[in-house]
Amino acid sequence: MADTVSYRPKAGEIPTQPGVYRFRDKNRRVLYVGKAKNLRARLSNYFQPLRSLHERTRRMVTTAASVEWTVVGTEYEALQLEYTWIKEFNPPFNVKFRDDKTYPYLAVTLGDRIPRVMITRNRNIKDARYFGPYTKVWAIRETVDLMLKAFPMRSCSDGVYRRAELTGRPCLLGDIGKCAAPCVGRISPGDHKSLAIDFASFMAGNDSGYLRDLNEKMKQAASTMDYESAARHRDAIQALEGVLGKSAVVLPETIDADVFGIAHDELAAAVQQFIVRGGRVRGVRSWVVDKELDMDLGELVETVVQNAYDGPDAPPREIIVPELPDDTAELEQWLTQRRRETPDPSAARGRLTGRVELRTAQRGDKAAIAQTVEMNAKNALILYKTRRSSDFVARSKALNDIQDALGMDDAPLRMECYDVSHLSGTNIVASMVVFEDGLPRKDQYRRFSIPESTDDTESIYQVITRRLAYLKDAPAAAGTAPAVDEETALDAEGAAGADEIVDAAESRRRKFSYPPNLLIVDGGQPQVAAAKRALDESGVTGIQLAGIAKRLEEIWLPDSDFPVILPRNSDALFLIQRLRDEAHRFAITYQRARRKRDIGTVLGEIPGLGPSRVKELLKHFGSVAQLRKATPEQIAEVRGVGPTLATAIFERLAEGGSR
């Protein structure tokens, strides 16, 4: 018998936050749902040696084919989500939920002659006002206890109330000030009902007005030296503030929404989508997308939402996102059309109706669940990056798999990857990153400035030609010096003298002279063909060439009509992707540094032109070179730039061009 199951995740991949986990079989059926205060600590119990597990647990983990988890903010949220999914999926290995009843509610029986506040699971009391549901009974009891200090309304049962009426003696709550005692006539039924209405109004969210009124009453009583009344008002304020700080409700049953969380960096974004129906999380979707250059969160939201509903799923009437895109109105119109076009047999006329709205959650229950979704997205992005940095065994396997897939004689112990970055055809730069034994060698990263190029393939040709020049004989290389270029000068800049510059260049040449086993370019057949042309012209041999096309993550070899397809979850593909992403990141970083240098020198002296407006100008025109060609009227079209500032920019650029 094997020590454990094959799908066991690495310990470092499992987060340590609270959450809910699900075991699924090979058909994706949910076998077991559980919750944990610490997901990593809890899940590790299932992946002990099989012989040490309880028989039922061993049967469950061996029947399952995968495990997945969802991070939440607190243990209470984990309890809520566990309850929801056990009801939803009815997993065969789950024991009966420890509280199989519905969640408790706080109810105010406004239909009664003497209204009562109570904790109940019964949702059918006539003319009652309900609040909740709550995840814990003790939490709602604390809420009621605090509220009665500010709104001393009846909370006793009918039997206790009738007994007090007959005896003329109130219960203990009446004696300690937590009930106005309508049973013995200390308050009229009408005044008591007003108390109940105020209680319900505060619970419904009208809290700021009551707190302001109580503060005014407290100050007024203190100014007239009525300190006893001021103390009562102070205690009421503290009680109500305590209620606001102890809210433990889940989402109301009327809420139907999709909540999106996005965590992103320069290269990738992890997306989490919580599907909330009837106030409960009915499903979770997660995926990772590649980012393009300078894509901000608003643009990313637009892409994510369009892809999420570009299928059979109908958008709900409310979609909560971390940031609204610029064209929110148009996106809402598209989503509304998608909703109305989606067939639904349960809806009137077989179609869904209603307008779809995009919103950001600022406060309350929706903001809380939005934070939970964002937390899951951050964990997913960390997991995505972690899987690209495997341990020694995984790296060795990845190198061997790459060797087999590409038909190489030896494992690619040294790999170099090249990427080209530009902004609308300007500021063209390229990067070279080096991995040895599957790990980055950042001291050997290189960057290139490309003065002129017609397209990406020409840029790749230039860069590979310059790099391969270092692999020729040392004297020839020293004479031609196509690569003792801006890069060498930049790294040696600031040296004390010419000898030090020469020494720095020679040191760089020695690092460059070590040939790679595998040379990778970011792109498909055209980029690989351009790199092969440079390789053939250089006369250098013994280097395997390949390209990775981002759209389908295909590996292209020279003179091949069909790509090499690596398994999507293989360590080999993860290693090549990481190499490609690192080259992309390094190229972007260099290009941004150059752009900032250009912008700082040309536009930094213009009054009224701050970083945000510089960013808008660059986004609109692409570069300072293109901006120089623009007229004042064209510059004034940029958002945030008026005619006066446009004229100043035009004149400053004209002065710079004439020098």
Side-chain angles (χ1 to χ4, degrees):
M1 180 180 292
D3 286 342
T4 187
V5 291
S6 60
Y7 60 87
R8 173 182 181 173
K10 297 180 179 65
E13 295 178 355
I14 307 175
T16 57
Q17 292 102 322
V20 181
Y21 55 91
R22 303 171 294 281
F23 282 88
R24 295 180 182 267
D25 65 12
K26 62 181 180 180
N27 297 318
R28 302 294 294 161
R29 180 192 177 192
V30 176
L31 299 177
Y32 183 79
V33 176
K35 62 177 175 58
K37 180 180 180 180
N38 182 319
L39 282 167
R40 183 180 299 175
R42 183 71 183 92
L43 284 173
S44 64
N45 294 332
Y46 292 97
F47 300 112
Q48 299 176 26
L50 293 176
R51 60 181 177 274
S52 66
L53 296 177
H54 186 276
E55 180 182 356
R56 189 171 185 275
T57 305
R58 183 168 63 246
R59 185 156 51 92
M60 187 273 290
V61 297
T62 54
T63 304
S66 64
V67 63
E68 56 192 37
W69 53 83
T70 298
V71 176
V72 296
T74 65
E75 294 177 71
Y76 300 143
E77 292 181 20
L79 175 68
Q80 172 199 342
L81 196 54
E82 179 196 37
Y83 171 85
T84 299
W85 280 344
I86 289 176
K87 292 294 185 184
E88 181 79 14
F89 300 116
N90 192 24
F93 285 93
N94 269 93
V95 296
K96 188 176 181 181
F97 195 67
R98 67 179 105 246
D99 181 6
D100 197 34
K101 302 175 183 177
T102 58
Y103 285 118
Y105 287 82
L106 186 152
V108 181
T109 60
L110 295 176
D112 294 348
R113 176 176 172 271
I114 306 295
R116 171 191 174 192
V117 59
M118 59 191 296
I119 301 168
T120 181
R121 301 179 192 272
N122 180 9
R123 291 277 289 162
N124 299 316
I125 301 175
K126 186 178 180 182
D127 297 327
R129 186 79 181 272
Y130 288 93
F131 303 96
Y134 287 73
T135 56
K136 286 287 188 178
V137 173
W138 59 260
I140 193 171
R141 291 193 191 281
E142 283 190 2
T143 298
V144 172
D145 188 60
L146 290 169
M147 288 287 291
L148 291 179
K149 294 179 181 180
F151 304 102
M153 63 173 294
R154 171 197 166 201
S155 60
C156 61
S157 66
D158 291 340
V160 173
Y161 185 83
R162 283 195 298 269
R163 186 163 57 248
E165 278 186 316
L166 292 174
T167 61
R169 295 173 55 188
C171 64
L172 178 63
L173 292 176
D175 290 336
I176 63 175
K178 288 189 176 181
C179 180
C183 54
V184 295
R186 291 184 186 174
I187 187 173
S188 68
D191 290 342
H192 182 270
K193 190 158 190 174
S194 296
L195 263 181
I197 292 172
D198 289 344
F199 185 109
S201 180
F202 183 89
M203 290 297 296
N206 300 321
D207 43 46
S208 57
Y210 284 104
L211 289 174
R212 280 197 305 268
D213 291 345
L214 284 173
N215 269 297
E216 288 298 326
K217 290 178 181 178
M218 180 182 68
K219 293 176 182 177
Q220 192 172 16
S223 64
T224 59
M225 299 186 184
D226 185 3
Y227 298 118
E228 185 176 350
S229 297
R232 286 201 304 272
H233 296 319
R234 178 204 61 200
D235 293 343
I237 291 171
Q238 291 175 350
L240 295 180
E241 288 177 343
V243 170
L244 296 177
K246 287 181 176 289
S247 177
V249 299
V250 296
L251 292 173
E253 292 183 354
T254 55
I255 291 183
D256 289 341
D258 283 358
V259 186
F260 287 89
I262 301 175
H264 64 108
D265 58 16
E266 290 178 326
L267 302 174
V271 183
Q272 287 276 327
Q273 177 187 0
F274 275 28
I275 301 168
V276 180
R277 300 294 183 268
R280 306 188 191 281
V281 179
R282 300 295 185 185
V284 175
R285 295 174 59 195
S286 62
W287 64 95
V288 178
V289 297
D290 288 321
K291 280 185 61 179
E292 297 299 331
L293 177 64
D294 288 337
M295 177 178 283
D296 58 29
L297 183 57
E299 294 171 319
L300 198 56
V301 165
E302 180 180 352
T303 301
V304 165
V305 170
Q306 286 178 326
N307 281 276
Y309 301 109
D310 188 20
D313 295 333
R317 297 187 64 175
E318 184 176 13
I319 298 174
I320 298 173
V321 295
E323 182 178 307
L324 293 176
D326 291 338
D327 54 349
T328 298
E330 291 78 8
L331 188 56
E332 287 179 339
Q333 183 178 358
W334 181 83
L335 290 166
T336 300
Q337 183 179 358
R338 292 288 305 160
R339 175 178 171 83
R340 292 173 180 172
E341 290 175 349
T342 304
D344 185 357
S346 64
R349 300 180 181 178
R351 298 286 178 179
L352 293 168
T353 59
R355 180 174 175 270
V356 178
E357 294 187 18
L358 283 177
R359 295 178 180 174
T360 57
Q362 303 296 329
R363 53 178 293 182
D365 297 331
K366 294 178 183 178
I369 196 171
Q371 290 177 354
T372 299
V373 181
E374 183 181 2
M375 186 193 316
N376 277 276
K378 290 178 179 178
N379 277 279
L381 185 61
I382 292 172
L383 178 61
Y384 177 73
K385 296 297 182 183
T386 300
R387 282 179 172 170
R388 294 172 176 256
S389 305
S390 303
D391 57 18
F392 174 77
V393 175
R395 291 200 312 272
S396 299
K397 184 177 184 304
L399 293 174
N400 290 330
D401 289 347
I402 292 173
Q403 176 188 350
D404 294 339
L406 303 187
M408 300 176 61
D409 295 331
D410 301 304
L413 298 182
R414 178 183 171 99
M415 296 185 290
E416 295 179 1
C417 186
Y418 296 81
D419 184 35
V420 173
S421 180
H422 61 84
L423 187 66
S424 300
T426 62
N427 272 337
I428 307 172
V429 299
S431 65
M432 162 188 156
V433 300
V434 180
F435 274 37
E436 291 186 352
D437 295 330
L439 294 175
R441 284 290 305 271
K442 295 192 175 182
D443 62 314
Q444 297 193 22
Y445 285 14
R446 296 293 177 265
R447 56 193 190 184
F448 303 85
S449 177
I450 303 173
E452 293 183 3
S453 177
T454 55
D455 54 23
D456 281 356
T457 57
E458 174 64 21
S459 300
I460 286 288
Y461 170 77
Q462 290 189 37
V463 171
I464 301 300
T465 298
R466 288 161 62 176
R467 190 271 175 271
L468 294 176
Y470 287 104
L471 299 180
K472 298 178 181 180
D473 295 336
T480 55
V484 182
D485 54 11
E486 177 188 0
E487 318 320 317
T488 299
L490 282 173
D491 282 1
E493 186 177 356
D499 290 341
E500 294 186 18
I501 294 177
V502 172
D503 290 343
E506 191 60 33
S507 174
R508 174 179 292 268
R509 184 176 302 284
R510 285 195 298 268
K511 290 180 180 179
F512 255 132
S513 64
Y514 182 50
N517 303 101
L518 176 61
L519 193 153
I520 301 173
V521 295
D522 183 12
Q525 285 177 301
Q527 286 77 14
V528 173
K532 185 177 184 302
R533 180 161 56 96
L535 192 62
D536 292 342
E537 292 177 359
S538 70
V540 176
T541 59
I543 297 177
Q544 176 66 54
L545 178 63
I548 177 169
K550 179 176 288 188
R551 189 175 69 88
L552 297 175
E553 306 293 18
E554 302 165 333
I555 310 300
W556 287 93
L557 300 177
D559 303 322
S560 177
D561 294 331
F562 300 98
V564 175
I565 306 296
L566 294 173
R568 297 292 291 183
N569 294 324
S570 68
D571 291 325
L573 182 58
F574 274 134
L575 180 56
I576 293 178
Q577 286 174 325
R578 186 181 175 209
L579 192 62
R580 185 268 314 278
D581 291 349
E582 184 71 352
H584 189 47
R585 180 198 65 79
F586 197 52
I588 290 174
T589 303
Y590 182 38
Q591 190 205 64
R592 286 176 175 169
R594 286 175 54 86
R595 283 160 47 194
K596 287 180 181 178
R597 187 168 68 239
D598 291 344
I599 294 167
T601 55
V602 178
L603 301 177
E605 300 176 357
I606 301 177
L609 196 61
S612 60
R613 286 176 176 168
V614 168
K615 183 178 179 180
E616 288 295 330
L617 284 167
L618 183 65
K619 183 178 179 181
H620 186 84
F621 290 102
S623 69
V624 174
Q626 295 297 321
L627 181 57
R628 289 182 188 276
K629 302 175 183 178
T631 64
E633 291 76 15
Q634 291 172 329
I635 298 174
E637 294 175 359
V638 178
R639 184 171 59 181
V641 179
T644 303
L645 184 56
T647 301
I649 294 171
F650 178 79
E651 292 175 351
R652 175 65 183 85
L653 293 175
E655 292 174 3
S658 61
R659 291 176 183 176

